[in-house]
């Protein structure tokens, strides 16, 4: 059996039919922008391996940090013990994250950081004497991960809630924020989404612990960019009703949107934030949940007082070292200029897609470029064209999109946008 035959017969891939998997490439190594396949073909990773690999593959300072840490302390339990990588990363996060968020919980993946955030909100409400507040409100078209509680706040249609009916917690959904980031804000609550939000939150305020959403950019749920004023006003509404505000910045964190965090588009801050994906520059799975003093001391003052979560690999030193190196790299460069340059070029080069027959919309925010089609697009067909284009893209739903690594130069970026235009023509 060849390697690929074994893979096809025995390995499950993300969201695939195990008996009929689509075209799958065998990646032998990767460096910078490029994946090298077993036959020597090189493909640009235009997805940054799902929003992670922002400095490119095998970045020398990140791999060096991991090597150095590997020689000293690859892992140790975090119960009763601590270590420099966890502390140094914590200092760095406090330096760059929204200023209210001073308490850090390290965990293994984005979905888990969402679970942690939701548990924190419930424990906080409990500690405040609101035992009935254990549900959540969210906006439609969101995506928060694949574990049970995270899945319960994903879009009920694309998240296939009917499939898991009875197994998922019932949550409260409002329409996605209707004013886009490019449109002029309106204060009319019937048109800006806040009217609908208020009525849902008011109706169930005694049951709702938190309002969770992806700030400004909805990723997997539709690659949709909405107006940050929605979040400013949602903050006021949450405060009025005693509901915690949770921002899932797993996809948007670390410069991707043109701001260091999407929260930075707002004049307000959330009570809890989830970070993941780009945290280690894509080198190791890692995530964290950060909260403010109010929630942390609230949880601590309740009964049992302890926060009920503690993964085996919590604050893994290799992951902390990788994250610290990745964040140092990011803040040590003109990331804002880099992302703006990528955005400008994508805007210019994707614009012609507007004239194609089946294209509904073209939009760019920071280093995220999207061609939205009128119909669903096949990832398998896109993969089949990858070797010819020299670009790996994985469309989802109606969207052909890219989030290139920040090291992508003008020529490589042109190759990516040409690939996207080609997919928009042929798929
Ligand atoms: C990817 C993602 C998650 C889930 O993260 P995993 O590391 O895949 O568990 C959660 N929320 C958002 C916004 C994401 O983009």
């Amino acid at each position: 059996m060849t390697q690929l035959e074994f893979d096809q017969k025995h390995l499950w891939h993300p969201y695939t039919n195990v008996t009929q998997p689509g075209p799958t490439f065998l990646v032998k190594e990767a460096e910078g922008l490029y994946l090298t396949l077993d036959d020597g073909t090189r493909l640009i990773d235009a997805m940054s391996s799902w929003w992670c690999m922002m400095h490119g593959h095998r970045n020398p300072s990140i791999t060096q940090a991991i090597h150095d840490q590997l020689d000293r302390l690859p892992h140790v339990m975090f119960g009763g013990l601590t270590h420099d990588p966890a502390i140094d990363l914590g200092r760095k996060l406090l330096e760059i994250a929204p200023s209210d968020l001073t308490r850090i919980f390290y965990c293994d993946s984005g979905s888990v950081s969402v679970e942690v955030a939701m548990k924190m909100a419930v424990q906080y409400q409990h500690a405040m004497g609101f035992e009935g507040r254990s549900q959540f409100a969210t906006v439609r078209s969101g995506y928060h991960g694949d574990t049970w509680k995270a899945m319960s706040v994903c879009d009920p249609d694309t998240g296939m809630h009917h499939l898991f009916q009875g197994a998922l917690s019932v949550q409260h959904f409002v329409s996605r924020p209707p004013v886009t980031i490019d449109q002029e804000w309106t204060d009319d609550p019937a048109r800006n989404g806040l009217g609908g939000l208020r009525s849902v939150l008011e109706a169930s305020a005694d049951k709702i612990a938190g309002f969770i959403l992806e700030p400004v950019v909805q990723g997997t749920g539709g690659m949709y960019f909405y107006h940050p004023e929605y979040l400013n006003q949602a903050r006021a509404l949450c405060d009025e009703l005693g509901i915690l505000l949770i921002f899932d910045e797993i996809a948007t964190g670390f410069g991707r949107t043109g701001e260091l965090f999407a929260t930075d588009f707002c004049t307000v801050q959330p009570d809890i934030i989830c970070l993941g994906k780009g945290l280690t520059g894509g080198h190791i799975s890692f995530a964290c949940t950060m909260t403010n003093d109010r929630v942390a001391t609230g949880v601590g003052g309740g009964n049992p007082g302890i926060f009920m979560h503690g993964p085996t690999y919590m604050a893994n030193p290799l992951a902390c070292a990788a994250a610290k190196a990745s964040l140092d790299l990011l803040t040590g460069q003109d990331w804002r200029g880099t992302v703006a340059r990528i955005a400008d070029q994508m805007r210019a080069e994707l614009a012609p897609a507007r004239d194609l027959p089946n294209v509904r919309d073209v939009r760019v925010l920071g280093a995220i470029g999207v061609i939205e089609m009128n119909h669903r697009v096949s990832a398998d067909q896109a993969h089949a064209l990858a070797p010819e284009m020299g670009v790996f893209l994985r469309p989802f739903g109606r969207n052909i999109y890219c989030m290139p690594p920040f090291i992508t130069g003008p020529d490589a970026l042109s190759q990516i946008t040409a690939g996207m235009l080609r997919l928009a023509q042929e798929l």
Side-chain angles (χ1 to χ4, degrees):
M1 224 189 286
T2 66
Q3 292 291 81
L4 273 173
E5 281 164 359
F6 182 92
D7 181 277
Q8 209 173 61
K9 190 146 193 270
H10 296 288
L11 304 187
W12 223 306
H13 285 261
Y15 289 96
T16 48
N17 181 322
V18 76
T19 58
Q20 296 168 310
T24 305
F25 300 112
L26 181 57
V27 180
K28 286 303 209 184
E29 55 177 64
E31 185 167 29
L33 296 178
Y34 292 92
L35 309 173
T36 305
L37 308 184
D38 56 338
D39 65 358
T41 305
R42 280 163 35 104
L43 302 179
I44 296 176
D45 182 358
M47 311 299 291
S48 291
S49 278
W50 273 341
W51 310 82
C52 294
M53 202 65 66
M54 60 181 163
H55 309 296
H57 289 268
R58 246 171 67 204
N59 176 279
S61 59
I62 300 175
T63 53
Q64 190 60 50
I66 297 170
H67 279 293
D68 292 348
Q69 190 55 43
L70 192 57
D71 290 338
R72 210 171 296 131
L73 177 69
H75 185 65
V76 66
M77 60 185 274
F78 210 51
L81 302 170
T82 191
H83 44 77
D84 292 329
I87 296 164
D88 294 342
L89 174 61
R91 289 183 198 276
K92 185 74 191 179
L93 282 168
L94 250 53
E95 207 180 286
I96 64 171
S99 57
D100 287 356
L101 306 168
T102 54
R103 310 287 180 135
I104 306 166
F105 190 101
Y106 293 122
C107 53
D108 327 14
S109 74
S111 301
V112 174
S113 81
V114 171
E115 300 286 328
V116 166
M118 295 174 85
K119 277 168 95 167
M120 251 176 214
V122 170
Q123 270 199 248
Y124 171 80
Q125 296 289 4
H126 205 276
M128 295 297 112
F130 300 108
E131 274 92 358
R133 287 183 181 251
S134 59
Q135 301 175 354
F136 288 83
T138 188
V139 296
R140 287 183 181 271
S141 306
Y143 177 75
H144 299 286
D146 292 347
T147 52
W148 285 108
K149 207 70 172 176
M151 190 166 56
S152 76
V153 286
C154 290
D155 184 81
D157 298 323
T158 56
M160 298 246 170
H161 281 206
H162 61 275
L163 191 63
F164 299 103
Q165 223 168 29
L168 279 185
S169 321
V170 174
Q171 313 292 15
H172 304 267
F173 290 93
V174 299
S175 54
R176 74 177 188 185
V179 184
T180 70
I181 195 166
D182 296 324
Q183 289 170 333
E184 197 167 330
W185 178 255
T186 165
D187 274 321
D188 178 357
R191 284 170 47 227
N192 65 20
L194 272 308
L197 180 61
R198 174 179 284 281
S199 60
V200 167
L201 294 186
E202 276 181 351
S204 306
D206 57 339
K207 297 198 198 72
I208 296 177
F211 177 44
I212 179 168
L213 73 174
E214 298 151 278
V216 184
V217 174
Q218 290 193 304
T220 307
M223 306 300 291
Y224 172 72
F225 313 142
Y226 65 88
H227 205 293
E229 184 56 22
Y230 180 90
L231 299 165
N232 296 336
Q233 301 203 12
R235 169 82 264 182
L237 193 51
C238 286
D239 287 343
E240 186 189 320
L241 299 171
I243 291 169
L244 294 182
L245 181 62
I246 306 171
F247 284 179
D248 177 349
E249 288 236 26
I250 292 166
T252 49
F254 313 116
R256 179 59 60 182
T257 62
E259 293 290 342
L260 207 43
F261 297 93
T263 302
D264 300 339
F265 283 105
C266 307
T267 54
V268 298
Q269 297 189 19
D271 296 296
I272 305 177
I273 201 168
C274 300
L275 300 175
K277 289 206 162 104
L279 181 56
T280 62
H283 286 61
I284 308 183
S285 177
F286 198 48
C288 72
T289 309
M290 296 176 72
T291 190
N292 55 27
D293 284 345
R294 174 167 72 107
V295 172
T297 55
V299 169
N303 182 18
I306 52 174
F307 179 56
M308 296 299 286
H309 207 93
T312 309
Y313 282 93
M314 185 166 180
N316 173 255
L318 295 173
C320 289
K324 172 69 165 50
S326 177
L327 296 180
D328 283 345
L329 263 177
L330 182 69
T331 56
Q333 61 175 290
D334 175 22
W335 58 269
R336 196 182 284 278
T338 300
V339 172
R341 175 186 59 74
I342 291 174
D344 287 346
Q345 190 182 336
M346 286 199 297
R347 238 175 241 120
E349 293 181 357
L350 294 179
R354 283 180 211 281
D355 300 327
L356 297 175
N358 292 315
V359 170
R360 177 179 294 194
D361 189 30
V362 176
R363 49 189 181 265
V364 170
L365 180 69
I368 311 168
V370 186
I371 301 177
E372 182 180 349
M373 307 295 291
N374 283 321
H375 55 265
R376 295 180 66 81
V377 204
S378 150
D380 289 352
Q381 279 178 285
H383 292 181
L385 288 169
E388 227 175 279
M389 306 189 302
V391 180
F392 183 77
L393 289 158
R394 189 174 169 85
F396 182 77
R398 289 196 306 262
N399 298 309
I400 298 164
Y401 65 99
C402 70
M403 43 264 177
F406 297 168
I407 58 165
T408 309
D411 293 346
L413 190 55
S414 294
Q415 204 179 335
I416 293 171
T417 54
M420 291 173 68
L421 284 165
R422 174 151 178 210
L423 295 186
Q425 268 162 322
E426 295 191 22
L427 302 194

